[in-house]
Amino acid sequence: MGVIHPLPTRPKRILLPARSIQSRVAELGREIARDFRGEPVCLVGVLTGAVVFLSDLIRHIDTPVEIDFVAASSYGEATHSSGEVRIIKDVSHALRDKHVLIVEDIIDTGLTLRYLMETFSARQPASLDCCVLLDKPARRVAEVPVKYRGFEIEDCFVVGYGLDYRGFYRNLPYISELDA
Ligand code: IMP
Ligand code: MG
Protein backbone atom coordinates (compact mmCIF):
# COMPACT_ATOMS: atom_id res chain seq x y z
CA MET A 1 0.00 0.00 0.00
CA GLY A 2 1.32 3.48 -0.90
CA VAL A 3 1.78 6.35 1.52
CA ILE A 4 -1.38 8.40 1.99
CA HIS A 5 -0.88 12.17 1.99
CA PRO A 6 -3.91 13.70 3.66
CA LEU A 7 -4.58 17.24 2.44
CA PRO A 8 -5.01 19.77 5.24
CA THR A 9 -8.33 21.08 3.96
CA ARG A 10 -10.62 20.72 0.95
CA PRO A 11 -11.51 23.39 -1.60
CA LYS A 12 -15.11 24.51 -1.14
CA ARG A 13 -16.67 27.29 -3.21
CA ILE A 14 -15.68 27.56 -6.88
CA LEU A 15 -15.00 31.21 -7.65
CA LEU A 16 -13.91 30.86 -11.27
CA PRO A 17 -14.87 27.86 -13.37
CA ALA A 18 -12.37 26.55 -15.94
CA ARG A 19 -14.33 27.91 -18.87
CA SER A 20 -14.33 31.48 -17.51
CA ILE A 21 -10.59 31.32 -16.88
CA GLN A 22 -9.88 29.99 -20.37
CA SER A 23 -11.86 32.70 -22.15
CA ARG A 24 -10.31 35.50 -20.07
CA VAL A 25 -6.79 34.15 -20.62
CA ALA A 26 -7.44 34.09 -24.38
CA GLU A 27 -8.56 37.74 -24.24
CA LEU A 28 -5.44 38.74 -22.31
CA GLY A 29 -3.22 36.95 -24.84
CA ARG A 30 -4.85 38.80 -27.74
CA GLU A 31 -4.52 42.10 -25.87
CA ILE A 32 -0.80 41.52 -25.23
CA ALA A 33 -0.19 40.55 -28.88
CA ARG A 34 -1.99 43.68 -30.05
CA ASP A 35 -0.09 46.00 -27.67
CA PHE A 36 3.40 44.75 -28.55
CA ARG A 37 2.71 45.01 -32.31
CA GLY A 38 5.02 42.24 -33.38
CA GLU A 39 7.94 43.31 -31.17
CA PRO A 40 9.41 40.37 -29.24
CA VAL A 41 8.41 40.22 -25.59
CA CYS A 42 10.00 38.24 -22.79
CA LEU A 43 7.41 36.83 -20.42
CA VAL A 44 8.83 36.18 -16.98
CA GLY A 45 6.66 33.76 -15.02
CA VAL A 46 6.85 33.89 -11.25
CA LEU A 47 7.35 30.33 -10.04
CA THR A 48 5.58 28.27 -9.14
CA GLY A 49 2.05 29.62 -9.16
CA ALA A 50 2.16 31.33 -12.57
CA VAL A 51 3.21 28.22 -14.49
CA VAL A 52 -0.30 27.14 -15.46
CA PHE A 53 -1.41 30.66 -16.37
CA LEU A 54 1.75 31.40 -18.37
CA SER A 55 1.59 28.18 -20.33
CA ASP A 56 -2.00 28.85 -21.38
CA LEU A 57 -1.38 32.55 -21.99
CA ILE A 58 1.52 32.15 -24.43
CA ARG A 59 -0.64 30.01 -26.71
CA HIS A 60 -2.90 33.02 -27.24
CA ILE A 61 -0.06 35.41 -28.12
CA ASP A 62 0.57 35.10 -31.85
CA THR A 63 3.64 37.38 -31.88
CA PRO A 64 7.26 36.50 -30.94
CA VAL A 65 7.68 35.59 -27.27
CA GLU A 66 10.45 34.26 -25.09
CA ILE A 67 9.73 32.78 -21.70
CA ASP A 68 11.77 32.87 -18.56
CA PHE A 69 11.13 32.24 -14.88
CA VAL A 70 11.93 33.80 -11.55
CA ALA A 71 11.20 32.29 -8.16
CA ALA A 72 10.33 34.62 -5.33
CA SER A 73 9.11 33.86 -1.87
CA SER A 74 6.99 35.90 0.47
CA TYR A 75 4.52 33.41 1.89
CA GLY A 76 6.41 30.35 3.06
CA GLU A 77 3.80 27.76 3.92
CA ALA A 78 1.28 30.03 5.59
CA THR A 79 -1.80 31.72 4.16
CA HIS A 80 -0.58 35.15 5.27
CA SER A 81 2.36 37.08 3.90
CA SER A 82 5.42 37.56 6.07
CA GLY A 83 6.20 40.75 4.16
CA GLU A 84 9.69 39.55 3.31
CA VAL A 85 10.49 38.95 -0.36
CA ARG A 86 13.48 37.02 -1.62
CA ILE A 87 14.58 35.92 -5.10
CA ILE A 88 15.25 32.20 -4.90
CA LYS A 89 15.90 31.66 -8.61
CA ASP A 90 16.77 34.48 -10.97
CA VAL A 91 15.90 34.72 -14.69
CA SER A 92 18.22 33.05 -17.21
CA HIS A 93 18.06 35.82 -19.83
CA ALA A 94 19.57 39.30 -19.68
CA LEU A 95 16.64 41.73 -19.60
CA ARG A 96 18.45 44.79 -20.93
CA ASP A 97 16.68 46.39 -23.91
CA LYS A 98 13.95 43.75 -23.92
CA HIS A 99 10.22 44.21 -23.55
CA VAL A 100 9.65 42.37 -20.28
CA LEU A 101 6.26 41.28 -18.98
CA ILE A 102 6.17 39.75 -15.50
CA VAL A 103 3.45 37.10 -15.33
CA GLU A 104 2.10 36.38 -11.86
CA ASP A 105 -0.77 34.24 -10.58
CA ILE A 106 -2.09 36.72 -8.02
CA ILE A 107 -1.33 40.13 -6.57
CA ASP A 108 -2.25 40.35 -2.92
CA THR A 109 -0.17 42.72 -0.74
CA GLY A 110 1.79 43.70 -3.87
CA LEU A 111 5.13 43.18 -2.10
CA THR A 112 6.31 40.44 -4.46
CA LEU A 113 5.55 42.36 -7.63
CA ARG A 114 6.95 45.63 -6.27
CA TYR A 115 10.19 43.90 -5.42
CA LEU A 116 10.41 42.23 -8.85
CA MET A 117 9.54 45.46 -10.67
CA GLU A 118 12.25 47.35 -8.77
CA THR A 119 14.82 44.61 -9.26
CA PHE A 120 14.15 44.17 -12.98
CA SER A 121 13.85 47.87 -13.78
CA ALA A 122 17.45 48.31 -12.60
CA ARG A 123 18.46 45.99 -15.47
CA GLN A 124 17.27 48.55 -18.01
CA PRO A 125 14.65 46.67 -20.02
CA ALA A 126 13.08 48.47 -23.01
CA SER A 127 9.77 48.23 -21.15
CA LEU A 128 8.58 46.52 -17.99
CA ASP A 129 4.96 45.63 -17.19
CA CYS A 130 2.97 43.18 -15.10
CA CYS A 131 0.27 40.71 -16.03
CA VAL A 132 -1.66 39.05 -13.21
CA LEU A 133 -4.43 36.51 -13.43
CA LEU A 134 -6.00 37.53 -10.11
CA ASP A 135 -6.07 40.80 -8.23
CA LYS A 136 -6.99 40.72 -4.54
CA PRO A 137 -6.98 44.46 -3.73
CA ALA A 138 -8.26 44.21 -0.14
CA ARG A 139 -4.86 43.62 1.48
CA ARG A 140 -2.71 45.78 -0.81
CA VAL A 141 0.30 47.34 0.91
CA ALA A 142 2.44 48.27 -2.09
CA GLU A 143 0.88 49.98 -5.09
CA VAL A 144 2.14 48.39 -8.28
CA PRO A 145 1.05 49.35 -11.80
CA VAL A 146 -0.61 46.25 -13.24
CA LYS A 147 -1.17 46.55 -16.99
CA TYR A 148 -3.00 43.26 -17.57
CA ARG A 149 -5.41 41.80 -15.04
CA GLY A 150 -7.58 38.73 -15.43
CA PHE A 151 -10.04 39.00 -12.56
CA GLU A 152 -10.50 41.01 -9.40
CA ILE A 153 -11.46 38.77 -6.47
CA GLU A 154 -12.61 39.25 -2.91
CA ASP A 155 -10.34 38.79 0.10
CA CYS A 156 -10.23 35.03 0.50
CA PHE A 157 -7.53 32.40 0.08
CA VAL A 158 -7.87 30.68 -3.28
CA VAL A 159 -6.35 27.58 -4.85
CA GLY A 160 -6.29 25.96 -8.27
CA TYR A 161 -5.04 26.85 -11.77
CA GLY A 162 -1.48 27.06 -10.41
CA LEU A 163 -2.29 28.50 -6.99
CA ASP A 164 -1.48 26.28 -4.05
CA TYR A 165 -1.98 25.65 -0.41
CA ARG A 166 1.16 23.99 0.99
CA GLY A 167 2.06 22.86 -2.51
CA PHE A 168 -1.25 21.19 -3.30
CA TYR A 169 -4.24 21.98 -5.53
CA ARG A 170 -2.22 23.58 -8.33
CA ASN A 171 -3.65 21.01 -10.74
CA LEU A 172 -7.29 22.05 -10.32
CA PRO A 173 -8.56 23.47 -13.64
CA TYR A 174 -10.75 25.96 -11.77
CA ILE A 175 -10.14 28.46 -8.96
CA SER A 176 -11.75 27.72 -5.64
CA GLU A 177 -11.84 29.21 -2.19
CA LEU A 178 -9.94 27.11 0.30
CA ASP A 179 -11.85 26.00 3.35
CA ALA A 180 -9.02 26.92 5.72
P1 IMP B 1 1.89 39.38 -2.48
O1 IMP B 1 3.37 39.59 -2.43
O2 IMP B 1 1.24 39.55 -1.14
O3 IMP B 1 1.20 40.22 -3.54
O4 IMP B 1 1.63 37.87 -2.75
C1 IMP B 1 1.89 37.28 -3.93
C2 IMP B 1 2.07 35.81 -3.74
O5 IMP B 1 1.37 35.29 -2.61
C3 IMP B 1 1.50 35.09 -4.93
O6 IMP B 1 2.49 34.87 -5.88
C4 IMP B 1 1.01 33.79 -4.36
O7 IMP B 1 2.03 32.84 -4.40
C5 IMP B 1 0.71 34.09 -2.91
N1 IMP B 1 -0.74 34.25 -2.66
C6 IMP B 1 -1.40 35.38 -2.35
N2 IMP B 1 -2.71 35.16 -2.19
C7 IMP B 1 -2.89 33.83 -2.43
C8 IMP B 1 -4.05 32.98 -2.44
O8 IMP B 1 -5.21 33.39 -2.21
N3 IMP B 1 -3.81 31.67 -2.74
C9 IMP B 1 -2.58 31.17 -3.01
N4 IMP B 1 -1.49 31.94 -3.01
C10 IMP B 1 -1.63 33.26 -2.73
MG1 MG C 1 3.31 33.07 -6.40
Side-chain angles (χ1 to χ4, degrees):
M1 207 169 87
V3 180
I4 298 166
H5 298 282
L7 293 179
T9 51
R10 294 185 168 278
K12 53 174 186 189
R13 187 169 55 103
I14 293 183
L15 287 186
L16 297 167
R19 207 179 305 165
S20 312
I21 300 170
Q22 290 304 328
S23 69
R24 185 69 186 118
V25 171
E27 278 177 6
L28 288 172
R30 288 192 292 268
E31 215 181 304
I32 292 165
R34 200 180 56 226
D35 289 353
F36 286 94
R37 300 170 182 195
E39 295 233 21
V41 52
C42 180
L43 282 96
V44 177
V46 184
L47 294 170
T48 304
V51 160
V52 179
F53 175 38
L54 182 132
S55 61
D56 280 346
L57 183 67
I58 55 173
R59 283 174 279 183
H60 295 285
I61 304 175
D62 62 357
T63 52
V65 297
E66 286 180 294
I67 63 171
D68 205 333
F69 294 96
V70 65
S73 162
S74 70
Y75 259 58
E77 289 218 327
T79 54
H80 290 283
S81 176
S82 61
E84 183 194 321
V85 181
R86 283 171 299 149
I87 286 190
I88 292 161
K89 180 226 165 289
D90 207 343
V91 290
S92 315
H93 294 86
L95 302 181
R96 192 185 173 95
D97 299 330
K98 286 190 177 167
H99 292 293
V100 176
L101 183 60
I102 302 174
V103 178
E104 174 63 306
D105 51 3
I106 186 167
I107 178 167
D108 182 17
T109 64
L111 292 169
T112 306
L113 275 177
R114 183 178 66 184
Y115 183 79
L116 292 177
M117 288 290 276
E118 283 172 4
T119 304
F120 291 166
S121 71
R123 300 180 192 179
Q124 299 177 288
S127 67
L128 180 62
D129 292 293
C130 294
C131 172
V132 303
L133 179 66
L134 304 177
D135 183 357
K136 204 158 64 170
R139 301 193 324 125
R140 193 66 39 85
V141 173
E143 282 312 317
V144 182
V146 175
K147 188 162 184 193
Y148 305 97
R149 176 190 331 258
F151 302 92
E152 185 172 309
I153 61 162
E154 62 201 85
D155 186 14
C156 63
F157 195 82
V158 292
V159 294
Y161 199 72
L163 291 121
D164 74 304
Y165 176 68
R166 299 194 175 182
F168 288 98
Y169 305 115
R170 296 192 197 276
N171 54 318
L172 299 176
Y174 51 85
I175 288 169
S176 173
E177 185 181 356
L178 185 76
D179 189 10

